[in-house]
């Protein structure tokens, strides 16, 4: 198979053997970030489709996710980094009940490489922990990720909790994850939230929105 097809297959098949050699070859040809976005994410998309249609079982999805994570970790030191002053600070978490973190961690990488300080709390974080971390670190923005449909409800509850604590105006909120839609976030949730809440389709939109929040 040609290199790009082979790399994508590694993600889909969860095949680690020889991964580094292929990634080195890829790095010689294209920037690290493009490899992640154009090749590896395409593999994860196929995994999602196969899993969703019952053609792939969960343990294999987990293996694919591991190869994805290993690949991103291998490529990360090769990504461009903007040096200079810290532009702002974001507390980032996957919401309560949700273990998906590949997307959140990509957001972490993109923001960290572009001048932001990221306080990455990890997965399955209850709102109390997220809000405490935001207060303690004096974050400028709160970012929540979640991929399950259930997580879209949790995000709504989290915003309501911020309303009732009277801190909605203090922390603009960035939301992302596959189960969300722009309309749900920027119409439905924006209607009930007493602060600013925005939807990011991908990590790059997350970066643009961070820049807008901080402007
Ligand atoms: Co899960 N899973 N999974 N899973 N899994 C999905 C989400 C699912 C859509 C698959 C499917 O059915 N087709 C489905 C959800 C269905 C639903 O809710 N309606 C699903 C399910 C059902 C489950 C379990 C319930 C399965 C089970 O146990 N029976 C279980 C849930 C466990 C739990 O959370 N409590 C589960 C478990 C897992 C694994 C552990 C095996 C693994 C996760 C490993 C890990 O993350 N460490 C996994 C995976 C890998 C997936 C799919 C296949 C791929 C997700 C992924 O990493 N994509 C996924 C299919 C899909 O999403 N269509 C699926 C790549 C990643 C880069 O994309 O995270 O969307 P994503 O991030 C994007 C954007 O969304 C955005 O930027 C990124 C790109 O730049 N973004 C943000 C994300 N967060 C952001 C935050 C921001 C800004 C942008 O600002 C704060």
């Amino acid at each position: 198979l040609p290199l790009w097809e082979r790399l994508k297959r590694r993600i889909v098949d969860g095949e680690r053997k020889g991964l580094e050699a292929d990634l080195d070859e890829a790095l010689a040809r294209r920037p690290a970030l493009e490899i992640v976005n154009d090749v590896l994410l395409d593999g994860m998309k196929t995994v999602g489709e196969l899993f969703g249609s019952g053609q792939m079982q969960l343990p294999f999805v987990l293996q694919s996710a591991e190869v994805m994570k290993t690949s991103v970790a291998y490529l990360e030191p090769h990504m461009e980094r903007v040096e200079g002053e810290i532009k702002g600070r974001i507390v980032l978490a996957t919401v309560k009940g949700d273990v998906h973190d590949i997307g959140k961690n990509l957001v972490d990488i993109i923001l960290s490489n572009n001048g932001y300080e990221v306080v990455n709390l990890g997965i399955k974080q209850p709102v109390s922990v997220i809000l405490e971390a935001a207060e303690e670190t004096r974050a400028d923005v709160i970012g929540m990720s979640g991929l399950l449909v259930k997580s879209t409800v949790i995000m709504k509850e989290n915003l309501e909790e911020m309303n009732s604590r009277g801190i909605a105006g203090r922390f603009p909120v960035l939301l992302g994850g596959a189960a969300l839609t722009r309309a749900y976030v920027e119409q439905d949730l924006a209607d009930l939230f007493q602060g600013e809440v925005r939807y990011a389709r991908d990590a790059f939109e997350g970066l643009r929105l961070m820049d807008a929040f901080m402007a």
Side-chain angles (χ1 to χ4, degrees):
L1 285 177
L3 175 64
W4 309 117
E5 200 45 44
R6 210 159 67 226
L7 269 173
K8 183 183 162 184
R9 286 268 25 122
R10 285 188 177 286
I11 300 290
V12 177
D13 298 342
E15 176 59 65
R16 223 182 249 260
K17 230 168 63 205
L19 176 67
E20 276 86 357
D22 276 354
L23 289 173
D24 285 337
E25 200 180 329
L27 278 169
R29 299 200 213 165
R30 288 176 76 177
L33 205 51
E34 272 185 37
I35 301 170
V36 173
N37 277 321
D38 299 349
V39 185
L40 305 182
L41 281 186
D42 198 31
M44 284 310 290
K45 193 166 163 251
T46 301
V47 171
E49 286 160 5
L50 289 171
F51 182 48
S53 63
Q55 295 173 74
M56 191 169 177
Q57 299 303 309
L58 199 62
F60 297 98
V61 179
L62 195 55
Q63 279 181 29
S64 296
E66 288 305 319
V67 175
M68 178 71 193
K69 285 183 153 196
T70 306
S71 306
V72 172
Y74 192 81
L75 295 171
E76 191 187 350
H78 299 275
M79 290 179 194
E80 266 180 62
R81 241 191 121 85
V82 176
E83 302 294 342
E85 272 178 33
I86 299 285
K87 293 194 273 183
R89 186 179 300 125
I90 181 171
V91 160
L92 193 61
T94 300
V95 298
K96 186 175 82 175
D98 195 324
V99 304
H100 298 89
D101 67 353
I102 295 174
K104 167 182 69 63
N105 292 340
L106 272 180
V107 173
D108 182 346
I109 290 171
I110 301 296
L111 293 180
S112 302
N113 284 345
N114 287 280
Y116 288 100
E117 190 181 310
V118 179
V119 181
N120 189 336
L121 302 177
I123 58 171
K124 296 203 275 186
Q125 292 300 318
V127 64
S128 56
V129 174
I130 298 173
L131 296 182
E132 209 169 285
E135 303 262 8
E136 249 170 39
T137 63
R138 284 185 271 129
D140 299 296
V141 176
I142 291 176
M144 295 187 262
S145 177
L147 266 65
L148 303 172
V149 169
K150 183 173 87 179
S151 300
T152 66
V153 180
I154 302 284
M155 288 176 183
K156 175 169 176 276
E157 290 168 3
N158 291 356
L159 296 180
E160 285 166 343
E161 177 66 20
M162 289 177 72
N163 282 345
S164 64
R165 290 193 190 192
I167 56 168
R170 281 201 14 229
F171 303 106
V173 176
L174 187 63
L175 299 180
L180 292 169
T181 63
R182 189 172 302 281
Y184 177 70
V185 175
E186 296 186 350
Q187 291 166 29
D188 302 1
L189 297 185
D191 268 353
L192 70 88
F193 189 49
Q194 289 157 7
E196 197 179 355
V197 59
R198 299 297 302 273
Y199 167 74
R201 189 174 51 86
D202 57 29
F204 297 100
E205 190 171 13
L207 174 61
R208 282 196 297 278
L209 288 169
M210 272 308 279
D211 288 343
F213 283 142
M214 299 309 299

